[in-house]
Amino acid sequence: MFKKIFKFITGYVIIEITGKNKEKFISMCLHNFMRIDNIVPEGDGFLLRMEIRDFLRIPRLVYKCGVRVRIISKHGLGQWLRGYRFRYGFVVSGLTVCIFFLIIPHYIWCVEIDGAYSADTERITEILREHGVYVGARKSGIDELDEIKTAIIYGVDGVNWAWLYTEGARARLQIQEETPKPAVADKITPTDIIAACDGYIERADVLSGERRVNKGMTVSAGDILVSGKMSVYMDGYPEKYMYVHSKADIEAETVRHESGIFGTEETLRIKTGRQKTQLSLSLFGRRVDLFLDEKGGFEDCDDVSRTYDWNIPFLGYSGISLTVHKIYEINETRHELSEREVLNRAREQLEERICKKLGAGAVKQNEQLTYNVSGGKYMVELRMRFKENIGMEVPAEE
């Protein structure tokens, strides 16, 4: 395959050799390390293929052997381009495409935001642009990922965790929103306010409901902080209660911690460059595979699928879809991580787990990473201290 491509680039000619010493001529060409092949007898002579650069060296041999040489045809990139030398539009288009594909890997052409359901996507897009992430942006102009993550977390309400991934010409922002609270029908429904997690109360502003907590108290997850059941009777009289929709702002100092075991060896799955494209057709919910081997003949592979729906204008989906499967051959290699790499990856994973459980408006105060090594494994624990609103509304039990 590569030989054919090389021959096409360098160019070659098909020539006819006639005369008494044609065999001697071929021998002398080989003796002078000229590349000739596809020698076929034709009438009183031979047809053969020769590279253009060798063809330019044969006049001396032709004179010495007394043979006649006639060019039958010319082939190669130069000959192909020569046929388009007056088609300026084609040449300009070709050069434009080449330049485009040389430039495109260095820029961002697609920005995606995953995990945003209730967060302000316009604000997220604005922050990304401020840090150099937008369609048409040069990759080298993007700010540090940690800086972008911090700006998203503290600049967008309702986001607990964020990370930016660059995949080719695409920038993908993955975010995690705050854990949704139990739904309360309206502001009239009686509710209690309970602790979403353990914490040390630093401020408790109760607007409605019966206070059960004060500054300086330690509470556990699930404890009632403000009750929607309020007593409205005096001593010596029958018990009587009123149920209200509790409102309060409970700020507490919390400590979140996560731990895990991390190895020092990493398995890298590297694409070899070989790939196959296979198709599946979906007809009104029934799938028809247009191939037999799901692995494409590769021992180990990764695959990416993309489905194209046939939509009819004004009617919508027609019921016919084409799925394109790209199968990439993979080689697995083992990579030994340094202690710093292990701890950095452990910190990132544990921080993500913690942030996905945070309450509203959490502000990090400090963090501490501890670890010990046993049997080639790192046992890592991350403890993070926050100030957050731990009050969570739940329907009151009447």
Side-chain angles (χ1 to χ4, degrees):
M1 181 64 182
F2 290 106
K3 289 183 178 179
K4 291 182 179 179
I5 295 174
F6 182 74
K7 282 185 177 293
F8 178 77
I9 294 174
T10 57
Y12 61 91
V13 292
I14 306 297
I15 60 176
E16 181 185 37
I17 309 298
T18 56
K20 294 182 179 180
N21 297 322
K22 51 187 178 290
E23 291 87 355
K24 180 181 177 182
F25 172 79
I26 293 174
S27 297
M28 293 184 68
C29 287
L30 295 173
H31 181 73
N32 285 273
F33 302 103
M34 296 183 183
R35 296 177 179 85
I36 59 175
D37 55 12
N38 289 12
I39 302 174
V40 180
E42 180 71 21
D44 295 334
F46 294 101
L47 292 180
L48 56 87
R49 181 170 64 183
M50 175 180 288
E51 292 187 9
I52 289 179
R53 59 184 178 183
D54 291 332
F55 177 75
L56 300 176
R57 297 166 52 199
I58 65 173
R60 180 176 59 85
L61 301 182
V62 170
Y63 177 77
K64 184 178 291 187
C65 297
V67 296
R68 293 182 297 276
V69 177
R70 183 168 67 94
I71 297 176
I72 303 299
S73 60
K74 300 178 181 179
H75 304 271
L77 180 62
Q79 185 67 23
W80 181 76
L81 292 175
R82 194 173 291 112
Y84 292 95
R85 63 184 181 276
F86 297 117
R87 300 183 182 181
Y88 302 112
F90 178 83
V91 174
V92 171
S93 300
L95 290 174
T96 302
V97 170
C98 292
I99 293 172
F100 179 75
F101 280 103
L102 289 174
I103 294 175
I104 192 171
H106 302 287
Y107 289 84
I108 296 295
W109 300 107
C110 177
V111 179
E112 296 179 358
I113 301 174
D114 293 342
Y117 301 102
S118 58
D120 187 351
T121 54
E122 292 185 2
R123 175 59 180 155
I124 294 174
T125 303
E126 181 183 340
I127 292 175
L128 289 176
R129 175 171 285 275
E130 290 173 359
H131 289 80
V133 183
Y134 53 88
V135 175
R138 191 173 180 85
K139 287 184 179 180
S140 58
I142 296 177
D143 291 345
E144 293 291 333
L145 297 184
D146 283 330
E147 184 179 342
I148 297 174
K149 179 184 77 170
T150 302
I152 295 291
I153 291 174
Y154 294 107
V156 181
D157 292 337
V159 175
N160 280 340
W161 177 85
W163 195 257
L164 182 71
Y165 302 91
T166 54
E167 302 160 343
R170 179 176 65 176
R172 181 170 61 87
L173 179 70
Q174 181 72 45
I175 70 171
Q176 175 67 37
E177 296 183 353
E178 294 171 357
T179 304
K181 301 176 178 62
V184 177
D186 49 48
K187 295 302 180 182
I188 301 174
T189 303
T191 58
D192 294 333
I193 295 179
I194 67 171
C197 63
D198 300 347
Y200 176 79
I201 304 299
E202 292 198 337
R203 182 168 57 85
D205 299 332
V206 179
L207 303 178
S208 66
E210 186 176 281
R211 178 189 294 270
R212 296 281 185 88
V213 68
N214 289 299
K215 179 180 178 180
M217 294 179 59
T218 301
V219 297
S220 300
D223 288 351
I224 296 179
L225 307 178
V226 180
S227 175
K229 180 181 178 181
M230 300 181 64
S231 59
V232 291
Y233 65 93
M234 294 185 293
D235 292 341
Y237 288 85
E239 292 184 7
K240 189 176 180 181
Y241 298 93
M242 178 178 65
Y243 292 88
V244 299
H245 184 97
S246 300
K247 294 181 181 178
D249 186 9
I250 311 294
E251 186 178 272
E253 184 176 294
T254 62
V255 177
R256 308 274 189 159
H257 61 90
E258 287 286 343
S259 60
I261 300 176
F262 300 87
T264 59
E265 192 175 62
E266 179 184 45
T267 300
L268 299 178
R269 295 176 60 80
I270 302 174
K271 294 180 181 179
T272 64
R274 297 178 60 196
Q275 68 178 57
K276 290 187 178 180
T277 302
Q278 301 174 336
L279 307 174
S280 291
L281 191 63
S282 179
L283 302 173
F284 308 104
R286 185 162 189 164
R287 176 174 165 175
V288 180
D289 292 328
L290 306 181
F291 57 89
L292 297 177
D293 190 354
E294 293 186 357
K295 287 194 172 184
F298 301 140
E299 184 175 343
D300 190 9
C301 63
D302 285 340
D303 68 288
V304 176
S305 298
R306 188 169 183 179
T307 300
Y308 300 89
D309 297 331
W310 180 25
N311 294 316
I312 301 175
F314 308 108
L315 295 178
Y317 179 49
S318 66
I320 301 175
S321 301
L322 178 68
T323 302
V324 180
H325 305 267
K326 293 254 185 210
I327 302 176
Y328 303 92
E329 186 182 34
I330 296 294
N331 275 344
E332 283 194 355
T333 60
R334 302 282 183 178
H335 172 61
E336 193 71 23
L337 299 174
S338 66
E339 181 175 285
R340 182 178 179 181
E341 289 175 323
V342 173
L343 296 180
N344 283 341
R345 297 188 185 198
R347 181 191 299 274
E348 182 180 328
Q349 293 182 27
L350 296 177
E351 180 183 342
E352 179 180 355
R353 292 185 209 167
I354 291 173
C355 290
K356 287 181 177 181
K357 300 176 182 178
L358 289 178
V363 178
K364 185 176 76 172
Q365 302 300 302
N366 55 59
E367 66 178 48
Q368 180 182 15
L369 187 75
T370 59
Y371 68 94
N372 60 70
V373 184
S374 176
K377 299 286 186 179
Y378 283 74
M379 288 169 280
V380 185
E381 181 182 33
L382 178 63
R383 300 178 68 87
M384 303 180 71
R385 189 179 299 276
F386 295 91
K387 279 187 179 179
E388 58 180 307
N389 187 344
I390 65 171
M392 181 169 63
E393 292 183 6
V394 295
E397 295 184 5
E398 299 188 27

